[in-house]
Amino acid sequence: MILTTTPTVQGREIKDYHGVVVGEAILGANLFKDIFASIRDIVGGRSAAYEQELAKAREIAFAELKERAREAGGNAVVGIDLDYEVVGPNGGMLMVSVSGTAVTLG
């Protein structure tokens, strides 16, 4: 399945539009990861724990987006928008939301 942030796919015609599809993932960062991430941030290093959680959430959200596009009858998603948010009490959860338009490419 082709996924793109652009409204079209170069060299391919959009034959049919199937509507907006969304994939979402919300993951909690556990206490130990938070502690170690804080330590890494203090010493100027990268926060691998948060990077791993974000990557995991992004993978889940994109997998859900593709599944919703297939269910709608599409073979591609165009106009994708990716959004990251911190939610929950004390910002303890990470949310990734991916949306776009499911289409059938010719």
Side-chain angles (χ1 to χ4, degrees):
M1 177 167 297
I2 294 175
L3 305 173
T4 182
T5 58
T6 60
T8 61
V9 176
Q10 187 175 354
R12 303 284 298 270
E13 180 184 354
I14 294 177
K15 297 284 188 180
D16 200 7
Y17 289 86
H18 303 286
V20 174
V21 289
V22 177
E24 298 165 324
I26 299 176
L27 299 176
N30 75 32
L31 180 60
F32 294 112
K33 288 182 181 179
D34 287 347
I35 291 169
F36 289 119
S38 297
I39 292 168
R40 283 188 204 106
D41 289 342
I42 290 170
V43 297
R46 291 173 60 173
S47 176
Y50 280 118
E51 289 174 1
Q52 289 173 356
E53 287 297 311
L54 282 172
K56 188 166 134 183
R58 190 174 50 249
E59 288 171 16
I60 291 168
F62 269 104
E64 191 174 296
L65 179 80
K66 287 191 254 184
E67 181 59 29
R68 297 270 160 70
R70 278 188 205 95
E71 289 171 357
N75 64 2
V77 182
V78 297
I80 291 177
D81 181 50
L82 182 62
D83 187 36
Y84 295 91
E85 294 289 333
V86 177
V87 296
N90 302 320
M93 308 205 59
L94 304 168
M95 180 180 77
V96 177
S97 177
V98 184
S99 62
T101 302
V103 298
T104 299
L105 297 175

